[in-house]
Amino acid sequence: MNKPELLGRWTKQKSEELYGIKNWGAGYFSISGDGEVMVNASKDDNTAAVSLMDIVSGVRERGLDMPVLLRFENLLDSQISFLNNSFNKAMKKLEYKGEYRGVYPVKVNQQQQVIEEVTKFGQRYHHGLEVGSKPELIAALSLMQDKEACLICNGYKDEEFIDLGLYAVKMGFKCFFVMENPSELDIILDRSKTLGIQPNIGIRIKLSAKAGGHWTDSGGDRSIFGLNVSQLIETVDRLKEKGMLDCLKLLHYHLGSQIPNIRDIRSAVLEATQVYAELVKEGAPMGYLDLGGGLAVDYDGSNTNYTCSRNYSVEEYCSDIVEAVMSVLDTSNVPHPVIVTESGRSTVAYYSVLLFNVLDVEKFEEYDIPEQLDDNASEQIKNLFDVHKSINLRNIQECYNDALYYRDEIRDMFKHGRINLRDRAFSEKIFWNTINQIAKEKKKIKKPLPDLEDLESAIADIYYCNFSVFQSIPDSWAIDQLFPIMPIHRLLELPKRNAVIADITCDCDGKIDRFIDIHDVRTTLPLHDMKNGDDYFLGAFLVGAYQETLGDLHNLFGDTNVVSVRINPDGTYDLVKEIQGDSVADVLSYVEFDPKDMVVRFRKTAEAAIRDGLIKTSDRREIMRAFESGLRGYTYYER
Ligand SMILES: *Cc1c(COP(=O)(O)O)cnc(C)c1O
């Protein structure tokens, strides 16, 4: 039935499957009929969408170059609605008598624009903010308008911090001080007495439950933050003593970020709700139960309890929490509190997409080597050649070991001057062809071969890309976190190459060689051949949480250009805000260079070169122009 030429035809469906976009995209990302990645304004089926390639050309026409970080307003808006609607639906269905009030933890992405949009889009749900430091509190106060929303103050608090929080209470904000340790109580009570303002006190507790995952050291008995049960009781007694127990209104815990397993979430809620009920029985007014963050993002789309995934949906998260709270409180006749969660990662992860171009490719190709060796070839090269000739399905492990052995021996001989550079180069060609051959045979074998696991990445192409891992996706380097990465166009073509990605820092850690997969972690990423001179663009997705402020200036690559995009209902888009990335002068001034002084010094160097007869006066003008325009330029590779 099938026409032979159609059999191998590559389709958008095949790209969807290969890159898993439907699994991790949460309805926000898809592939168009033209084979380009589309961003959808919401999760709804018929929502407006724009092609990332259209945005690339729009951004470039305006004079901004790659790499560029795009922030999609619509996705932030949609994620806030989704979380609030999911809690509200679960509460309605289970007949919960309290309410949900989400807060956004500022530390997850503190950019002014992000906080401003959270407060704007959050207003219809009274979605508030969580702060963990004085600068974050001050940032929050400058943007918060909604007096129904919560403002949760975690972290170490000095007098100044507490005074500001108390003034917020006086101005009508629902501002809570969450005690991280017992000694904070004195200073809170002292300042509130001095200023004559009643504080809203919350207590952070250590749970005995500890969850699995990357970032979960915040949970467990020995976690560094929060009060243990005896400190909790002591605090209650001290509040009673001072006649201030009526200020105790909130109980908080934070299990850690990215909790992949719903069972850990449930058991923490159950334990904390028991504590909550006890505090009510002690006579505290309470009213708020704050379950912290932890709602995970399914970065690899596998829907499992793997660290980069989660084995539950947002809807399940919400209904499991509501159900667990009710199951404890209804047996002890305690009224349902306002449930607060501090979801950061899941609120902002989808919002940002990093786009970058490929600068160059180092392809792995099979070398041209002769069928037979010269008789005068050295013994070791002959041995290596025999290994190459003898590879078959049964002996690949043995051939691999032998090839390594002979290659090392030849390298050793070279060190001792016993073979020349030309022969050594020839032997390396034989070696790499051998490895390539072994990798091909290995594909036919189903059983795992642990020694040969990294073979694919060893013979992968290297795609050199215009971005810095350290600046833009630091968690990929620091804690091996996986982010979905894929081409944003040419998705109707078969990607024939297997690649690893190198950034432009030239640091051996500046690479990505672990990629998402539903069943495992991939060591290479399928990419398209570079066509002569054509641009090729990749996107790193789900990078909105934690990456921006953790990024650093490794090799002095600075902030990338940032463009904020609003998708309109008719499928057009507006670039709402453009922030030019750091210039070379900017990043140098961060490390205490003074760009003006640098120009003066370099001018002197050029003047001296004139004196020494190395350059002409007119050269000096050209050289200074190049130096000064270099200072003004972007830190990344410019076209
Ligand atoms: C970091 C942090 C959060 C955010 O957690 P996510 O998993 O990103 O939602 C919430 N609360 C506290 C106290 C935190 O420290």
Side-chain angles (χ1 to χ4, degrees), residues 116 126 188 262 292 300 326 366 390 395 465 500 550 621:
E116 186 173 1
H126 304 305
I188 293 172
I262 190 78
D300 68 8
M326 289 174 76
E366 201 149 333
S390 69
N395 67 2
C465 296
V500 296
L550 285 180
R621 181 155 40 130

Side-chain angles (χ1 to χ4, degrees), residues 105-120:
V106 171
K107 75 152 190 275
V108 183
N109 188 331
Q110 302 107 326
Q111 304 294 324
Q112 190 265 350
Q113 186 192 354
V114 177
I115 311 302
E116 186 173 1
E117 286 175 6
V118 168
T119 50
K120 186 169 95 189

